[in-house]
Amino acid sequence: MKASAVGKIILFGEHAVVYGRAALAVPVTQMRAQVEVLPSSRPGIWIDAPDVKVSAELNTLPSDHPLAALIHNLFFALAVDPFPDLSIHITSSIPVASGLGSGAAVSVALTRALCGALARPLTDEQVSSYAFEIEKLHHGTPSGIDNAVITYDRPIYYVKDRPIEMLRVAEPFTIVIGYTGIPAPTRDAVAAVRRLWEAQPDEWNVVFDGMQTLSQLAREAMESGRWRHLGPLMNENHALLQRLTVSSPELERLIAASREAGALGAKLSGGGRGGNMIALAPGNGPQAVADALDAAGAARVIITEVRQQD
Ligand code: PMV
C-alpha cells in the first residue's frame, strides 16, 4: 500500500495564525513524501526512512519519536491488536526542517498508507488531526495549518479551531521560493514571538490584527483573479514580520534580490530566522527572480504555480 503527500508554503499570516488570526497556505506539488507499507516476513514493524537516518524496529524507537508516536497513536485509536508485521519505507523530496512541511507530509502519507494497509479508511479531518498530534512533537504549539494544507492538498484559508475553508484561485500565479540554507526551528521562532506577546500583548495584538487584514485582502485578490495585488500585500506582511523579529540578514538579502529582479512582492514564509522566503513572479515569468535568488546565494530555488485544483 502506497501513499504520498505534498509540501507546502504559507503565503500570509504565519505567527499571527498561532494567535487565532487567519492565514493562507498552498500546497507545493512538485515535492512529495512517499510511504510504502508492505506485509513483512520478519516479526515486528520495520521502519526504513533513509532521509532522516532511521532504520529500526518500532519498539526500539523512543516513544516520543514522531514516527513511533504516529503509529502508536493510530493503532491505539483504531484498536489494532496485535500489531501486524509490517515493513514501512519512507522517502521524501521535501527538504527537512526547511519550512516546507516535510514532517507533516510524512505524517499524512504514513497515516494514509497504514490505514490503506489495514483497510480502515479515515476522513481527511481524521488524517489531519493525527498529523496535528505529531506536529506538536515537532513544533510545541503549532497552529495546525501545516497538517491542514497538506492533508487537503488545496490552497486554504485557515483559522485555528475553525472548519477549514478552501480558497478559490481565480487565475493561476507563480511563486518563487528561496531557501536560505539555514535550518530554522519553528519552535524557537514561535517561542520568541510568544515572549514578545506576553510582555506587551496590546502592542502585538495590533500587529496580528494587521496580518489578519492582509490575509483577508489576499484572499479577495486570489478569489477575484487580481493576483498582482498580492505583491504589495506580501511586502506589508513582511514588514510586520520584521517587527516581530523573525527575519534574518540572509532572508533580507534574498528578499531584496528578488524585488530588484522584478518580483511584485516578497516576504519570509514560515517560522523565519532562516528557512524560506517567497516572491511573487511578475507576469513575464519567474526566471529572472529565480536567477537573482541563485546569484544572491539561495541554497535552493523552487518555482511553483498556485492554481485551482480539480
Ligand atoms: O515553519 P513552518 O513553515 O512550519 O511554519 C510555521 C508557521 C507558524 O505560524 C510560525 C507556526 C504555526 O504553527 O502556525
Side-chain angles (χ1 to χ4, degrees), residues 13 27 31 40 62 64 88 93 98 118 133 138 148 156 202 208-209 226 246 250 256 260 266 280 283 293:
M31 49 178 72
S40 170
D64 62 350
I88 300 175
S93 57
S98 66
L118 297 169
E133 290 308 310
H138 284 296
I156 61 166
D202 293 345
F208 295 146
D209 287 342
R226 286 174 293 121
V246 291
E250 297 79 12
E260 277 160 30
L280 179 63
L293 289 175

Side-chain angles (χ1 to χ4, degrees), residues 109-287:
L110 179 56
T111 303
R112 288 193 170 133
L114 286 168
C115 291
L118 297 169
R120 301 281 298 272
L122 294 180
T123 63
D124 284 343
E125 200 180 342
Q126 288 170 316
V127 170
S128 186
S129 86
Y130 285 113
F132 180 58
E133 290 308 310
I134 305 308
E135 288 295 283
K136 290 184 194 164
L137 295 176
H138 284 296
H139 291 331
T141 55
S143 64
I145 191 169
D146 281 20
N147 47 283
V149 64
I150 288 169
T151 299
Y152 289 89
D153 191 4
R154 296 274 184 286
I156 61 166
Y157 178 89
Y158 182 83
V159 182
K160 201 167 81 173
D161 301 327
R162 293 237 200 110
I164 289 142
E165 294 177 52
M166 305 299 155
L167 278 173
R168 219 168 42 79
V169 184
E171 244 189 63
F173 58 91
T174 303
I175 294 286
V176 187
I177 307 169
Y179 180 44
T180 56
I182 299 170
T186 300
R187 183 190 277 272
D188 297 350
V190 168
V193 170
R194 183 160 302 273
R195 281 193 291 275
L196 290 178
W197 180 76
E198 277 170 357
Q200 282 174 310
D202 293 345
E203 178 177 340
W204 297 109
N205 280 336
V206 172
V207 170
F208 295 146
D209 287 342
M211 292 181 176
Q212 152 104 5
T213 303
L214 293 171
S215 288
Q216 285 164 339
L217 292 172
R219 176 185 197 165
E220 283 164 32
M222 278 169 78
E223 294 196 331
S224 60
R226 286 174 293 121
W227 59 266
R228 285 176 180 77
H229 291 208
L230 297 174
L233 299 175
M234 287 165 75
N235 290 339
E236 280 186 56
N237 195 160
H238 185 66
L240 295 178
L241 289 161
Q242 284 173 318
R243 282 180 58 191
L244 274 183
T245 75
V246 291
S247 192
S248 72
E250 297 79 12
L251 283 165
E252 291 301 318
R253 191 171 65 237
L254 297 185
I255 288 167
S258 70
R259 288 176 182 156
E260 277 160 30
L264 302 179
K267 62 184 277 295
L268 72 83
S269 174
R273 297 195 167 173
N276 290 291
M277 52 70 66
I278 55 174
L280 179 63
N284 63 359
Q287 207 50 52

